[in-house]
Amino acid sequence: MTSVAVLVPTWRRPEDLARCLHTLRVQRRRPERVLVVRRADDQPTGNVLAAQSELPLTEVLVERPGQVAALNAGLDALDEDVVAITDDDAAPRPDWIEQIAGWFARDGRLGALGGRDWVYHGRELQDGAEPTVGTVAWYGRFLSFHHLGAGPAREVDFLKGANMSFRREAIRSLRFDERLRGDGTEYLNDWAFTLAVKRGGWKVVYDPAVAIDHYEGARTAGDARSVGGGRRSAVERQVAHQRAYNETYIAARYLPAHRAAAHLAFATLMGSTLAPAPGLALTRVGALGGLRAAAAEVGGSLAARLSGALAGLRARVAHG
């Protein structure tokens, strides 16, 4: 039988974590082990874990801040055939582990499996149906939409961290990339990790039926989504530049050379709405809020992307 461990990194969200652990207790096919990674100074989380008696729970302590450090500490403690990773604010559906174990038992070339996370903001479900999920388009744009994926299971390029699982054999020599930028959350670390799995020759599959409910909190100020809607704060600009850096670093580090070049050209011209990080063609849109401010936005984004591209190329040469 394929053994499955669940890995949950957490940071000071005890109520969310308690809900997540409850959904793991009531799985139709229970995991062999649940690895919860917490900081030593996060005592509220420690209290939640101390109250658990019905799960095969392993508590992993980590000293370094950041999601990447927590995920890597969990991987270092892994013994099972498959690790299923989810967020502390997620609630896997009752057949989640059953579906994951079945997929990996049936397909020996499957290295990574993801599924839909049904996102709630408060009580409001962010619903929709997208046929294209987890793909890098031929012209270099990253198309995620994992929270809206519909249709049959299919091979993809990358997965979303709230709902992804891996064969231990496929990630034995891999760890989440510590070169990514971000304060507490190294943005897009899930994209980088699954692209590395695919680059190793393994299948990466997205199946909307492998589902979780994801109770995301309100967006922070650093997650602004508009380009021309007014001046952004210093924190918002920093987040935008970190995400732009990471996106282009990932392309340069993990994509085939021609696709990495396409991404750099597209990102330079069009930018991305992800942070957002505008490109040259969006300068006129931003100019509605002032040409100088628009030029500063575009210049900061392009500088971040150039730094990311160079860092990705260096890592590619150094590590293959």
Side-chain angles (χ1 to χ4, degrees):
M1 185 178 74
T2 301
S3 59
V4 180
V6 178
L7 170 56
V8 185
T10 188
W11 169 246
R12 292 186 176 175
R13 292 200 283 201
E15 294 84 6
D16 288 332
L17 178 63
R19 178 182 58 215
C20 179
L21 295 178
H22 171 73
T23 63
L24 295 176
R25 282 198 303 272
V26 299
Q27 291 286 306
R28 292 208 302 243
R29 193 278 201 200
R30 287 184 128 193
E32 274 63 40
R33 198 159 53 120
V34 177
L35 302 164
V36 178
V37 185
R38 74 172 179 95
R39 295 273 298 278
D41 58 351
D42 183 2
Q43 193 52 51
T45 295
N47 295 339
V48 170
L49 299 182
Q52 298 297 319
S53 59
E54 299 179 35
L55 279 174
L57 187 69
T58 297
E59 183 179 20
V60 180
L61 296 179
V62 63
E63 297 297 329
R64 293 175 55 195
Q67 190 176 46
V68 163
L71 289 166
N72 285 338
L75 293 184
D76 288 342
L78 182 66
D79 291 321
E80 289 72 16
D81 300 322
V82 171
V83 58
I85 300 176
T86 193
D87 288 349
D88 54 8
D89 60 356
R93 294 187 175 179
D95 63 346
W96 188 60
I97 298 294
E98 183 178 65
Q99 295 237 34
I100 290 170
W103 262 103
F104 282 99
R106 290 191 301 270
D107 189 345
R109 293 305 305 159
L110 181 65
L113 173 70
R116 180 163 179 169
D117 62 319
W118 293 81
V119 173
Y120 290 83
H121 298 294
R123 294 185 178 181
E124 182 181 351
L125 171 65
Q126 187 177 351
D127 202 1
E130 288 285 345
T132 303
V133 171
T135 300
V136 184
W138 65 267
Y139 53 87
R141 182 184 177 189
F142 284 79
L143 302 168
S144 51
F145 303 119
H146 300 85
H147 63 300
L148 300 174
R154 62 274 203 184
E155 289 194 49
V156 296
D157 293 323
F158 60 93
L159 302 173
K160 183 176 180 179
N163 186 3
M164 59 184 185
S165 50
F166 301 92
R167 188 182 302 276
R168 183 159 63 108
E169 183 183 350
I171 63 171
R172 195 179 301 275
S173 62
L174 298 178
R175 289 298 181 266
F176 285 84
D177 199 323
E178 296 182 348
R179 300 173 188 84
L180 296 170
R181 293 181 178 177
D183 298 323
T185 300
E186 294 84 359
Y187 307 107
L188 314 182
N189 63 73
D190 43 3
W191 297 10
F193 193 72
T194 45
L195 280 168
V197 172
K198 183 158 187 162
R199 196 161 180 250
W202 295 89
K203 287 172 60 176
V204 177
V205 169
Y206 174 87
D207 182 358
V210 183
I212 66 170
D213 293 306
H214 196 181
Y215 299 95
E216 288 188 340
R219 296 194 188 282
T220 64
D223 199 20
R225 298 283 171 173
S226 62
V227 175
R231 292 181 180 274
R232 292 190 290 180
S233 70
V235 171
E236 289 170 338
R237 286 194 300 274
Q238 180 183 32
V239 169
H241 296 162
Q242 288 170 340
R243 293 181 76 104
Y245 173 97
N246 287 356
E247 187 180 45
T248 300
Y249 167 86
I250 289 166
R253 172 72 177 88
Y254 296 106
L255 291 180
H258 68 284
R259 297 179 75 190
H263 165 80
L264 186 58
F266 176 82
T268 300
L269 181 62
M270 298 301 298
S272 170
T273 59
L274 185 68
L280 293 172
L282 297 184
T283 305
R284 293 186 65 181
V285 176
L288 296 175
L291 183 58
R292 182 174 297 179
E297 289 281 355
V298 173
S301 296
L302 295 183
R305 290 198 185 277
L306 177 60
S307 295
L310 293 174
L313 289 172
R314 286 194 296 268
R316 189 182 193 120
V317 170
H319 303 285

